[in-house]
Amino acid sequence: MTSGSGRGGRDRPLRVAVLGAGMIGEVHRRAVLLAGADLVGVLASSPERSREVAASWGVATAYEDLAQVAASDVDVVHVCTPNASHVPYAVELMRAGKHVVCEKPLGVSVADAEQAAAVAAETGMVNTMPFTYRFHPMARELRAVVGDAGFGAVNLVHGSYLQDWMLSPTSTSWRVDPVLGGPSRAFGDIGSHWCDLAEWVTGDRIASLVATTSISIPQRPAATAASFSATAPDTGADAPLVDVETEDSALILFRTVGGVAGSAVISQLAAGRKNRLWLEVDGGRRSAVFDQEDAEHLWVGAEDGATVLNRDPNHGSAEQRRLSSLPAGHAQGYAQCFESFVADTYAVIRGETRDGLPTFADGLRAARICDATLTSARTGGWVDVAGMEPR
């Protein structure tokens, strides 16, 4: 990833456009503003919707189409649209000289992701993807603890990412449609986060895996609803049902390049689990656990007992302290780690350096793991994960 001053340089705020105005678009909007950039325009699902959102957000420009965004004088574009549009949009924007923050996944196939990563390298534009759990301060602390010599050699990596927002048979979303969301839903959407965090924390890549997937609700309403919500009762009752082709749950066993065994359970049907990303790393002398729903703490185990480390800007690793924007005991959450991700992206655009910023290369990595998972689930055997470039 090549950094540079961009048209915004250091003498004025970066000019930013957001594409997509759903739940995640709102998250991006907030992070843009808190990073001190100028949000100058929005492109939503239709010109009418763009004008409505522009008025609601108080931004000057409601874009008619992508070509208008590419021809504009914005420095950075956040792509928060349905998955199938990510790569076409990102490629056109990078070739138009825009830095791009693109929601995951990076396309709906490995070929898509390879194209986006290649264009990113070719153009030299800053390109990032919100694998934002890296930006929880205690995820940084986990990485520091695991990397310390006193932790011992890693011997096991395991955990889960569990949600329940698709538990109701009336819940639906564009993500269910493989044309819009891609061939994988649960693993592509949240399993990719777990694998990214596991590889980043340990510095060790998944080399091969065996997987199984399941579809527990074979039909859902054709009507769509916002992510993390169910269709309204009257809509869900009247909407025609369509066959579900994307998985509700996925399980993988894997072996890393370093020979470490691991496993992960991924599901969007775990009742009562709202967003439980759990990652445990077991070493020769210590074990450590990061739980995204209790992200203020890090559990560290030893043979003679266990301790709980608190997020604290005055203690712990340098990166944990840097990302602790609030005093200890004043809970930080998902919004703050997303804001840190965007702030670090903008810092790199201004020519600074930041540790752990996920790029399109990481998006390509996630696409290859997802492809191996679907291949294994289909064939029933172990599959090597393509692309073992060093981190």
Side-chain angles (χ1 to χ4, degrees):
M1 178 174 66
T2 300
S3 64
S5 61
R7 283 187 292 275
R10 296 175 183 267
D11 56 345
R12 66 166 174 83
L14 293 168
R15 292 170 58 81
V16 178
V18 171
L19 314 188
M23 181 277 291
I24 201 65
E26 288 276 3
V27 173
H28 280 257
R29 168 182 173 260
R30 173 182 169 86
V32 169
L33 297 176
L34 289 174
D38 285 342
L39 180 58
V40 299
V42 61
L43 176 67
S45 55
S46 68
E48 295 75 21
R49 176 65 176 153
S50 294
R51 289 191 289 271
E52 176 186 326
V53 175
S56 173
W57 287 4
V59 299
T61 305
Y63 297 107
E64 297 282 325
D65 53 31
L66 183 67
Q68 189 180 0
V69 182
S72 73
D73 64 351
V74 300
D75 305 301
V76 192
V77 181
H78 290 238
V79 178
C80 316
T81 51
N83 299 350
S85 62
H86 289 179
V87 168
Y89 284 12
V91 164
E92 183 170 341
L93 291 164
M94 287 187 294
R95 286 179 172 158
K98 315 298 183 190
H99 304 296
V100 175
V101 179
C102 183
E103 267 298 329
K104 41 161 279 295
L106 190 57
V108 294
S109 67
V110 172
D112 268 356
E114 288 174 339
Q115 180 193 12
V119 172
E122 166 198 321
T123 62
M125 304 310 298
V126 172
N127 55 95
T128 62
M129 300 203 74
F131 285 114
T132 46
Y133 298 118
R134 296 186 185 191
F135 290 82
H136 274 298
M138 299 312 283
R140 298 282 167 136
E141 192 69 14
L142 174 63
R143 189 175 190 230
V145 167
V146 170
D148 186 86
F151 189 79
V154 173
N155 58 58
L156 189 64
V157 181
H158 55 105
S160 60
Y161 196 155
L162 306 176
Q163 298 175 332
D164 69 356
W165 72 283
M166 295 297 288
L167 183 62
S168 169
T170 66
S171 295
T172 191
S173 162
W174 58 262
R175 296 176 186 274
V176 178
D177 183 351
V179 174
L180 295 175
S184 174
R185 175 169 32 97
F187 194 87
D189 187 23
I190 59 176
S192 57
H193 272 297
W194 191 93
C195 292
D196 175 79
L197 191 61
E199 289 195 335
W200 181 73
V201 162
T202 64
D204 196 4
R205 288 192 181 278
I206 297 171
S208 59
L209 60 82
V210 63
T212 186
T213 62
S214 61
I215 298 172
S216 301
I217 301 175
Q219 291 189 316
R220 293 185 183 271
T224 61
S227 294
F228 304 106
S229 66
T231 53
D234 54 344
T235 303
D238 296 338
L241 296 177
V242 296
D243 291 341
V244 174
E245 300 177 52
T246 54
E247 80 282 354
D248 293 313
S249 303
L251 290 78
I252 63 170
L253 296 174
F254 60 85
R255 179 76 62 177
T256 71
V257 172
V260 176
S263 68
V265 177
I266 312 298
S267 181
Q268 294 175 328
L269 301 183
R273 298 298 191 186
K274 301 305 178 184
N275 201 49
R276 187 180 187 270
L277 188 163
W278 172 285
L279 173 62
E280 177 163 340
V281 183
D282 299 331
R285 299 185 184 90
R286 298 284 187 273
S287 293
V289 171
F290 173 74
D291 178 1
Q292 198 278 149
E293 289 190 339
D294 185 22
E296 289 287 279
H297 307 109
L298 186 74
W299 181 93
V300 180
E303 198 169 10
D304 59 352
T307 58
V308 175
L309 305 181
N310 298 318
R311 182 192 60 78
D312 190 337
N314 299 314
H315 299 282
S317 66
E319 279 293 287
Q320 186 273 133
R321 296 195 305 271
R322 179 178 77 87
L323 293 174
S324 288
S325 57
L326 295 173
H330 298 71
Q332 288 184 213
Y334 175 80
Q336 282 77 35
C337 65
F338 201 99
E339 291 151 14
S340 295
F341 156 72
V342 171
D344 276 9
T345 296
Y346 292 176
V348 169
I349 290 172
R350 292 192 298 267
E352 302 173 26
T353 58
R354 289 293 185 270
D355 180 52
L357 193 61
T359 70
F360 283 12
D362 297 294
L364 173 56
R365 176 69 188 159
R368 287 171 170 164
I369 295 173
C370 185
D371 183 70
T373 296
L374 295 181
T375 299
S376 175
R378 185 175 63 252
T379 63
W382 282 83
V383 175
D384 291 339
V385 179
M388 299 310 300
E389 304 88 349
R391 294 194 69 82

